[in-house]
Amino acid sequence: SKLSSVFSLSLSLYPVIELNHHVISVVPESGLLIILGFILGGIVWGADKAQTFKLLPPTFFYYLLPQIILDASYFMPNKLFFSNLGSILIYAIFGTCWNAATVGLSLWGCYEAGVMGNLDIGLLQFLLFGSLIAAVDPVAVIAVFEEVHVNEVLFILVFGESLLNDGVTVVLYNVFDAFVALGGPRIDAEEIFKGIFSFVVVAFGGSFLGVVFAVLLSLLTRCTKHIQIIEAGFVFVVGYLAYLTADMLSLSAILSVTFCGICCQKYVNANMDEKSVTTVRHAMKVLANGSETMIFVFLGITAIDTEIWVWNTGFILLTLLFVFIYRIIGVFLLTWMLNKFRLVPIEVIDQVVMSYGGLRGAVAYGLAAMLDKDKIPEKNLIISTTLIVVYFTVILQGITMKPLVQWLKVKRAAHADLKLIEKLNNRAFDHILSAVEDICGRIGDNWWTRGWNRFEENYISWLLMKPKARKNRDYLFSIFHKLNLEDAVNYVSEGERQGSLAFIRSDEVANVDFKKQFGSEFTDVMPDIMVDMSNYELGIENFSVTSIVKDTIPSVSLDIHGKDRKNVADDINAHHLLQQHLYRSRKNHRHKFSRSHFSINQSEDEVQEIFQRTMRSRLESFKSAKMGVNPAKKITKHHKKDLTHKVKDFHDASFTWIAQLYKGSVTIKMNPVFLPAMDSPTHSSLPWLMETDAVAPSQRAQWRLLWTPNRLRRLAPMRVSTCSTDSFLMADLEEHEEKPQTDHEEEIFQSGPPKKHSCRKFH
Amino acid sequence: MGSTNSTLLKIPNVEVLMQETGFSPAHIIRLHDRFKALDKEGRGHLCPHDFGAIKELAMNPIGDRIIGAFFSPGKETVDFHTFVKILAHFRPVDKDRPKEPNSPEPINSRSNKLKFAFQLYDQDKDGKISRDELLQVLRAMLGMQVTDEQLESIADRTIQEADLDRDDTISFEEFRKSLEKINIDHKMSIRFLR
């Protein structure tokens, strides 16, 4: 009940904080929550004269922490994580050990030197303290980095480190705890060896257990077709189960949940119904945000308690100093070593941010609170120091992190000062770079990753994903398929409406291109316009009557004068347009992990649009190559072909493109199928590589070619989706009495792992 | 080291290639690996549809143009040498390379990087970016919400800014001049090709 009352109190004050955006942008939310905790603690203290609201370690470790870690791992950008896993592990393991050892030893050294006065404490206890204060805290890191946008590699390094160092922390803590219990003299090589061994067991055992639960979860979601309403719950239940089981077996619980979330995301998201996926996402965020809020508030409340405070200036100040300095030294040392092996070295600026971002948080406090008072008489001093360190890092470092990052960044020319051509080129360069990176295979592409991808696709996905999900998992292909259908439907309906084929954007009624509408009416008067019109086919009915009536000759002259007046407005307009509508490059739409929102949706739409346009233009050029028609040099969406050609060609060309995109042993032969019959020498599929005076084979010949029985069998597996038996295809096919064998492909998908000879359509 | 040497030997004229491009043996091997992976049919050269098979390129607004840049006009295949030479444009500039007066400009010089970018705009290779070519690029890079008139006005203003000799086209010199302020080395370099 204490928990729930704090929860409701803090949540109700949450919106008040959110309202003041100015404050939030300076002080990170976590800092504000701690301060709120101080206030609340003060209130309770005032009422009870004792701190009745305490954050008990079990509460923290069993009720507040698991969901945060589950949230972090469920939304973890896997590709980024695994491609930097080596560096992350180095920081997590060696970095944490280094921090623990150096802080502990330095403090002990200072104690021996007498700086701290009289304390009942020994070397082992210092080392124990070092190990619990060494760990970078995931909760604090997420909270602070949320405000500060750093590049994705830096983010994943710090974040990944904070998640994975739990393995080390737990082991070190337990080892030194055991050593302290044993007493100094009994420690020998055997014990040390046991310590290292226990690290291996705890860390790898925990991770392995997480993977086991991830498999369990994926299998569960695979079978929940008929109970979709509760499948969202499984994610949380199994996730929590992973945590508890690991804890029960004395393995690293955080690592278990981390790997459970990381490994299951892909399969769970593919298997579950869309609504369940959304439910899970939102629920995760709610739980994680709630827990985080409570943790920070509690951290504040526990400060207002006279019982725990023991002040030893030397101890506390030295701890702060050492924690800070050794973090910096550790990061720079390890990075120097790592940069020798990394393809993309970590820059100095990033290292500075990484060191500064080594925040300690509630985990350290929890571990401190769990200490046994009998074995460690100075427990309260340790708790006090831990709290001070937490406050220092979260509040002070949190506040100064953003200004620091901004100060360190290379000053770029102010965006508004760039000319249009510079802006355009900046973006073009980003696109060029992404493209070349993709062509080079980027960093993570090598024999191992390709091998793993193949293995994963063939065996793991077969086991863990629903067959239907496997079919649709290729995101691009599903967009492409949608494109096919949509376009075919559009073409037909437009054609039916007008009797000719004019592809007109229906939302453009307001901005009528006056040239278009003039072409038909003023062909005599303005012959030069007629030249442009040759490629256009007009459906006059589509223009709003009023605009045609209004825009007679006077508006032509108006326009000319208008140009001068509008110069300035145009300029601003152009910049604004560029800013708004330039497609973002991969560098710009990063996959950001954020506590409070999913930033994915916007870029997905853009990506879809770009992909559709690319595919469309490839199809157009391919079609026109086949038909021997000049592609119009101007921007135009009007075509001279008639409807039936279009639909058929669309399907032909789409199969070719599917073949080209997803080559399998069968489909390689597809390409030449289209070529021999054509007299045109072009078989390249890019618009500017084509020669335009080709002789087009007769349409019947092409059609025949496509649908002969032999070829059909090779074709049938390509049409992956059962939905593609659209009416056009069926209607056209009836002429030739061939029906695509849709049942054939169903078999392929349901008969176990695909064998080599049946086409591997997806790569 | 033995295996890397033997791989290197399999590539014809690899010494010349390394000298021209400045790539280290390790990079050449990596790129060769990648070349072989792209060349799924093992023909020893790449065709446009090999590039087309790279899915991420379909999600790049100017992906197809960049693919086109690999193929010299009229040619439909890319061999390994051409592949590497084009990628060499994206090596970071070697800051400490001594400036020899007689040696040809390295492929990854600022000027050559700009030339590469210029070629992407100038499709008909007449040495000038015409208004139409600019319109095509703009159309590719802007969302569908932008109307044709808006597009044309942006193109007109862009040419106005850059066109110094008022011939309504942008020549390479004008292009280079307009991008003086931009750190080309940073924007057109891939770190892992160093």
Side-chain angles (χ1 to χ4, degrees):
Chain A
S1 71
K2 289 211 183 106
L3 197 64
S4 46
S5 42
V6 174
F7 181 51
S8 18
L9 253 178
S10 48
L11 280 195
S12 53
L13 286 167
Y14 201 67
V16 175
I17 302 176
E18 285 298 334
L19 285 176
N20 197 339
H21 285 288
H22 184 66
V23 183
I24 290 276
S25 58
V26 173
V27 185
E29 213 174 276
S30 40
L32 283 176
L33 287 169
I34 293 187
I35 295 175
L36 178 68
F38 289 152
I39 299 173
L40 278 175
I43 296 175
V44 174
W45 175 260
D48 289 346
K49 294 293 181 245
Q51 188 50 267
T52 41
F53 272 63
K54 271 205 235 269
L55 181 61
L56 300 167
T59 315
F60 171 68
F61 282 111
Y62 291 114
Y63 299 119
L64 293 178
L65 188 60
Q67 49 265 43
I68 297 182
I69 308 291
L70 185 61
D71 170 68
S73 59
Y74 192 76
F75 290 101
M76 172 82 79
N78 271 357
K79 235 187 184 170
L80 198 56
F81 179 72
F82 283 108
S83 61
N84 285 297
L85 189 59
S87 312
I88 293 178
L89 280 174
I90 299 280
Y91 284 119
I93 302 178
F94 293 106
T96 315
C97 287
W98 160 268
N99 280 338
T102 51
V103 170
L105 288 172
S106 312
L107 281 175
W108 178 66
C110 292
Y111 172 68
E112 294 292 322
V115 183
M116 295 180 206
N118 250 339
L119 292 170
D120 183 4
I121 203 167
L123 168 64
L124 281 174
Q125 299 179 21
F126 275 117
L127 285 174
L128 179 57
F129 175 62
S131 66
L132 69 86
I133 203 81
V136 174
D137 188 73
V139 180
V141 164
I142 298 172
V144 169
F145 272 33
E146 172 111 353
E147 309 292 330
V148 180
H149 298 309
V150 294
N151 72 62
E152 52 183 14
V153 172
L154 175 58
F155 173 75
I156 200 70
L157 286 175
V158 183
F159 186 47
E161 180 200 343
S162 67
L163 279 178
L164 295 189
N165 66 17
D166 179 65
V168 180
T169 310
V170 162
V171 170
L172 283 178
Y173 181 84
N174 286 329
V175 161
F176 285 120
D177 205 30
F179 282 3
V180 165
L182 279 179
R186 305 255 302 271
I187 301 180
D188 51 7
E190 188 196 335
E191 297 292 330
I192 297 181
F193 179 70
K194 270 205 253 175
I196 298 179
F197 182 69
S198 70
F199 163 70
V200 174
V201 169
V202 164
F204 288 100
S207 316
F208 178 70
L209 194 62
V211 174
V212 166
F213 277 101
V215 169
L216 174 68
L217 182 57
S218 314
L219 284 174
L220 266 176
T221 50
R222 185 182 162 162
C223 311
T224 52
K225 189 163 171 199
H226 300 290
I227 40 170
Q228 278 177 351
I229 200 76
I230 61 166
E231 60 185 355
F234 281 129
V235 179
F236 297 97
V237 168
V238 175
Y240 195 44
L241 196 58
Y243 187 88
L244 290 178
T245 315
D247 197 67
M248 189 177 72
L249 298 173
S250 305
L251 301 173
S252 166
I254 293 185
L255 280 182
S256 172
V257 175
T258 304
F259 280 95
C260 180
I262 288 179
C263 298
C264 80
Q265 341 163 331
K266 179 174 171 185
Y267 307 106
V268 165
N269 283 330
N271 285 341
M272 291 201 300
D273 182 47
E274 219 179 273
K275 295 197 197 97
S276 303
V277 172
T278 315
T279 309
V280 168
R281 281 176 161 183
H282 283 284
M284 281 255 199
K285 291 295 182 194
V286 168
L287 286 176
N289 268 306
S291 298
E292 190 188 299
T293 309
M294 278 196 280
I295 290 178
F296 284 115
V297 170
F298 262 124
L299 277 179
I301 292 180
T302 40
I304 317 297
D305 184 356
T306 46
E307 288 176 25
I308 58 162
W309 284 105
V310 177
W311 189 270
N312 182 318
T313 323
F315 191 84
I316 294 179
L317 285 179
L318 283 170
T319 309
L320 277 175
L321 181 71
F322 289 138
V323 159
F324 192 66
I325 292 187
Y326 285 119
R327 169 76 182 167
I328 298 179
I329 298 179
V331 166
F332 275 84
L333 253 179
L334 286 173
T335 316
W336 174 76
M337 284 198 299
L338 274 175
N339 276 344
K340 295 195 193 293
F341 300 102
R342 280 178 66 93
L343 271 172
V344 181
I346 302 171
E347 294 174 4
V348 176
I349 296 180
D350 291 344
Q351 293 172 44
V352 172
V353 176
M354 232 195 295
S355 350
Y356 204 69
L359 307 171
R360 277 42 174 197
V363 174
Y365 171 74
L367 289 174
M370 282 200 320
L371 291 172
D372 189 341
K373 187 109 195 228
D374 303 320
K375 284 189 250 163
I376 302 168
E378 296 290 346
K379 174 178 171 181
N380 281 334
L381 175 60
I382 290 183
I383 292 185
S384 316
T385 317
T386 310
L387 279 176
I388 302 265
V389 171
V390 169
Y391 296 148
F392 183 82
T393 54
V394 171
I395 301 181
L396 247 125
Q397 279 179 233
I399 294 181
T400 50
M401 174 79 89
K402 204 169 178 184
L404 178 74
V405 170
Q406 281 171 347
W407 179 67
L408 285 175
K409 277 195 179 137
V410 177
K411 288 208 174 77
R412 283 180 241 143
H415 218 69
D417 296 334
L418 286 179
K419 292 190 282 187
L420 277 176
I421 192 165
E422 288 169 317
K423 282 191 198 171
L424 182 67
N425 277 304
N426 261 338
R427 189 52 55 83
F429 290 150
D430 285 341
H431 288 309
I432 296 175
L433 268 193
S434 323
V436 175
E437 279 179 5
D438 291 327
I439 293 177
C440 284
R442 300 189 79 198
I443 313 170
D445 185 69
N446 53 38
W447 189 84
W448 295 104
T449 53
R450 269 180 265 138
W452 165 256
N453 281 335
R454 241 175 293 138
F455 173 73
E456 196 267 330
E457 258 173 47
N458 290 344
Y459 299 105
I460 303 187
S461 292
W462 170 76
L463 177 68
L464 298 178
M465 259 202 237
K466 279 188 194 152
K468 186 155 172 256
R470 253 187 305 132
K471 268 189 250 172
N472 294 332
R473 77 185 144 177
D474 207 311
Y475 171 69
L476 287 189
F477 182 72
S478 57
I479 296 179
F480 182 66
H481 184 71
K482 263 190 259 170
L483 163 65
N484 252 355
L485 283 182
E486 257 174 47
D487 275 328
V489 170
N490 277 340
Y491 282 128
V492 170
S493 55
E494 286 295 326
E496 280 173 359
R497 229 172 3 112
Q498 301 156 29
S500 69
L501 201 60
F503 189 100
I504 297 170
R505 278 193 298 214
S506 54
D507 53 347
E508 289 303 306
V509 177
N511 297 316
V512 177
D513 183 352
F514 82 84
K515 277 193 188 168
K516 270 192 231 162
Q517 70 193 53
F518 277 25
S520 61
E521 298 184 79
F522 296 93
T523 47
D524 311 319
V525 181
M526 302 184 200
D528 43 334
I529 297 183
M530 218 13 228
V531 173
D532 293 341
M533 298 322 298
S534 59
N535 290 327
Y536 290 52
E537 287 186 88
L538 293 174
I540 298 289
E541 317 85 80
N542 283 291
F543 298 102
S544 66
V545 179
T546 45
S547 58
I548 294 178
V549 166
K550 259 197 293 179
D551 295 349
T552 49
I553 297 191
S555 74
V556 179
S557 46
L558 253 183
D559 200 42
I560 296 173
H561 291 308
K563 245 191 174 165
D564 298 327
R565 266 186 279 130
K566 284 189 282 169
N567 248 350
V568 177
D570 270 348
D571 195 19
I572 302 175
N573 210 18
H575 278 273
H576 180 69
L577 276 173
L578 267 190
Q579 212 115 343
Q580 289 269 34
H581 296 296
L582 270 178
Y583 284 130
R584 289 181 290 174
S585 69
R586 192 165 53 217
K587 280 192 185 184
N588 290 342
H589 51 74
R590 302 188 176 293
H591 188 136
K592 276 196 277 263
F593 174 81
S594 161
R595 175 49 52 74
S596 44
H597 45 265
F598 326 108
S599 53
I600 318 175
N601 295 325
Q602 288 170 313
S603 43
E604 261 181 18
D605 287 335
E606 254 187 24
V607 165
Q608 192 163 335
E609 192 173 281
I610 300 175
F611 180 72
Q612 285 181 351
R613 292 174 73 182
T614 312
M615 284 300 145
R616 221 180 241 137
S617 85
R618 288 184 187 178
L619 284 178
E620 303 295 335
S621 63
F622 194 80
K623 265 186 286 183
S624 34
K626 286 175 55 186
M627 302 302 289
V629 171
N630 272 359
K633 285 270 195 278
K634 304 235 173 209
I635 319 165
T636 167
K637 294 174 200 63
H638 299 238
H639 302 277
K640 279 199 199 166
K641 301 179 211 147
D642 64 63
L643 177 63
T644 46
H645 280 227
K646 263 217 140 58
V647 175
K648 284 176 194 156
D649 288 350
F650 220 77
H651 286 288
D652 303 348
S654 61
F655 293 147
T656 325
W657 267 104
I658 299 174
Q660 289 172 353
L661 279 182
Y662 303 102
K663 287 187 146 204
S665 48
V666 179
T667 62
I668 292 174
K669 317 254 181 336
M670 277 290 287
N671 217 351
V673 167
F674 290 91
L675 306 178
M678 289 165 56
D679 296 328
S680 78
T682 76
H683 48 266
S684 56
S685 40
L686 299 170
W688 46 93
L689 292 181
M690 274 182 333
E691 295 164 36
T692 50
D693 38 22
V695 176
S698 81
Q699 187 227 330
R700 269 201 86 80
Q702 286 180 310
W703 188 241
R704 276 246 169 263
L705 214 67
L706 186 57
W707 294 114
T708 50
N710 303 338
R711 305 260 160 80
L712 192 59
R713 222 158 278 127
R714 264 189 276 166
L715 273 180
M718 289 313 301
R719 291 180 48 249
V720 179
S721 166
T722 48
C723 313
S724 63
T725 50
D726 31 18
S727 46
F728 317 112
L729 192 57
M730 299 305 287
D732 289 330
L733 280 179
E734 266 151 33
E735 297 174 37
H736 303 273
E737 293 162 29
E738 298 285 359
K739 293 243 183 311
Q741 302 163 8
T742 49
D743 29 322
H744 177 46
E745 81 203 62
E746 280 288 327
E747 287 169 15
I748 297 181
F749 275 98
Q750 265 136 31
S751 61
K755 299 155 193 86
K756 287 285 190 293
H757 70 265
S758 76
C759 21
R760 287 306 300 139
K761 296 157 249 339
F762 298 105
H763 269 313
Chain B
M1 270 320 272
S3 62
T4 50
N5 273 337
S6 61
T7 328
L8 272 180
L9 287 174
K10 285 195 207 130
I11 307 168
N13 297 330
V14 73
E15 301 288 328
V16 178
L17 193 60
M18 285 201 286
Q19 235 214 356
E20 277 180 352
T21 59
F23 277 127
S24 68
H27 278 300
I28 300 273
I29 292 174
R30 241 192 99 247
L31 289 173
H32 190 71
D33 228 6
R34 177 64 177 169
F35 185 82
K36 278 199 292 192
L38 286 175
D39 178 19
K40 298 201 170 75
E41 298 161 26
R43 287 169 302 193
H45 56 82
L46 297 176
C47 296
H49 64 250
D50 287 322
F51 286 99
I54 305 174
K55 285 189 276 182
E56 290 85 1
L57 281 179
M59 298 196 281
N60 192 311
I62 49 177
D64 283 350
R65 281 180 182 254
I66 296 170
I67 297 177
F70 277 81
F71 296 86
S72 336
K75 286 195 78 180
E76 306 226 328
T77 60
V78 183
D79 63 356
F80 182 61
H81 274 244
T82 322
F83 183 70
V84 175
K85 281 210 214 131
I86 295 191
L87 288 179
H89 282 99
F90 293 92
R91 284 190 61 232
V93 171
D94 304 314
K95 294 201 182 86
D96 31 290
R97 187 189 256 260
K99 297 237 167 70
E100 294 148 35
N102 292 331
S103 64
E105 222 177 315
I107 299 185
N108 62 342
S109 70
R110 189 176 192 279
S111 168
N112 280 328
K113 285 183 202 274
L114 278 172
K115 274 201 200 132
F116 183 82
F118 189 77
Q119 277 174 349
L120 289 176
Y121 292 99
D122 180 21
Q123 291 296 326
D124 56 8
K125 313 247 183 283
D126 61 353
K128 292 179 188 296
I129 303 176
S130 68
R131 187 171 175 274
D132 289 331
E133 288 169 337
L134 188 61
L135 274 174
Q136 281 181 9
V137 176
L138 278 171
R139 180 76 274 175
M141 291 194 14
L142 284 165
M144 299 297 274
Q145 309 96 309
V146 182
T147 64
D148 287 344
E149 293 86 34
Q150 291 170 325
L151 212 62
E152 299 195 359
S153 81
I154 296 177
D156 288 329
R157 294 217 67 78
T158 309
I159 294 188
Q160 252 181 17
E161 283 175 354
D163 190 13
L164 301 166
D165 57 6
R166 304 262 156 246
D167 61 353
D168 217 28
T169 63
I170 304 180
S171 70
F172 180 64
E173 275 312 310
E174 290 164 350
F175 184 72
R176 187 216 290 262
K177 231 176 177 293
S178 69
L179 296 179
E180 269 172 343
K181 279 200 267 172
I182 297 193
N183 182 355
I184 299 292
D185 179 38
H186 187 247
K187 295 236 86 171
M188 291 262 293
S189 295
I190 299 183
R191 281 197 285 185
F192 62 82
L193 289 179
R194 190 181 298 272

